[in-house]
Amino acid sequence: MQVKNVMTTQPQYLKDNVTIREAALTMRNNKSGFEPLTDANKVTGVITDRDVTVRAVAEGKSLDDKASSIATERVLYTYQDEDIESVVQNMVEQKVQRLLVLNDRENKDLVGVVTLGDIANHCETPQLAEKIVKASRTYS
């Protein structure tokens, strides 16, 4: 099975100049824990609910600071035609539970987001289930 069969399509985007508060409100309203930040349609980073907690609240940042100040700039991604087992292995190695999904290696247009939950909902083998459990344990 390929990523395009399990991913969430048409992900929400936030401009990279939004505040931490605006990013948190968007995550709450979208019932998500992850939002890509963009500048002129280029992904400049990603912000997670964990970033809000660990990098903003715990460090005493103002919720009016820019979300980009706490975002992860190293954007991890996969391609929509990748096999989901290799994507789970990538998540284990990178210690993440979500990846942006690009259409192909040539155009690199953002077409979705894939999470361990998306993959778990389509799990077809005990071996894949075991990899998903391993991936979820590596996230800190």
Side-chain angles (χ1 to χ4, degrees):
M1 186 176 300
Q2 294 180 324
V3 171
K4 65 184 171 188
N5 302 116
V6 302
M7 71 183 189
T8 300
T9 58
Q10 300 175 340
Q12 299 290 321
Y13 308 91
L14 294 174
K15 297 285 185 193
D16 67 356
N17 64 352
V18 300
T19 65
I20 296 168
R21 180 185 322 274
E22 291 168 322
L25 287 170
T26 300
M27 283 186 252
R28 181 189 70 188
N29 295 339
N30 291 343
K31 297 180 181 163
S32 75
F34 173 89
E35 297 292 335
L37 298 177
T38 63
D39 180 24
N41 296 327
K42 180 182 179 233
V43 177
T44 59
V46 294
I47 185 168
T48 67
D49 48 4
R50 189 169 193 279
D51 293 330
V52 173
T53 303
V54 175
R55 294 182 179 166
V57 176
E59 293 181 9
K61 286 195 172 269
S62 167
L63 296 181
D64 295 319
D65 287 350
K66 298 295 181 200
S68 58
S69 71
I70 63 165
T72 301
E73 293 176 352
R74 183 173 169 246
V75 179
L76 301 175
Y77 59 88
T78 188
Y79 297 100
Q80 67 181 352
D81 62 352
E82 287 288 327
D83 180 78
I84 59 174
E85 292 204 25
S86 66
V87 170
V88 171
Q89 184 59 40
N90 185 7
M91 290 177 172
V92 169
E93 291 168 6
Q94 299 298 327
K95 297 183 180 180
V96 298
Q97 293 189 9
R98 305 169 183 99
L99 292 172
L100 296 178
V101 180
L102 306 180
N103 63 338
D104 59 51
R105 287 162 179 76
E106 195 172 313
N107 296 314
K108 295 188 176 182
D109 292 328
L110 183 60
V111 294
V113 173
V114 66
T115 68
L116 279 178
D118 295 332
I119 296 169
N121 287 337
H122 295 85
C123 186
E124 297 177 333
T125 67
Q127 294 82 8
L128 181 57
E130 189 175 314
K131 284 184 181 182
I132 292 169
V133 169
K134 181 178 180 183
S136 65
R137 289 183 180 158
T138 61
Y139 182 71
S140 55

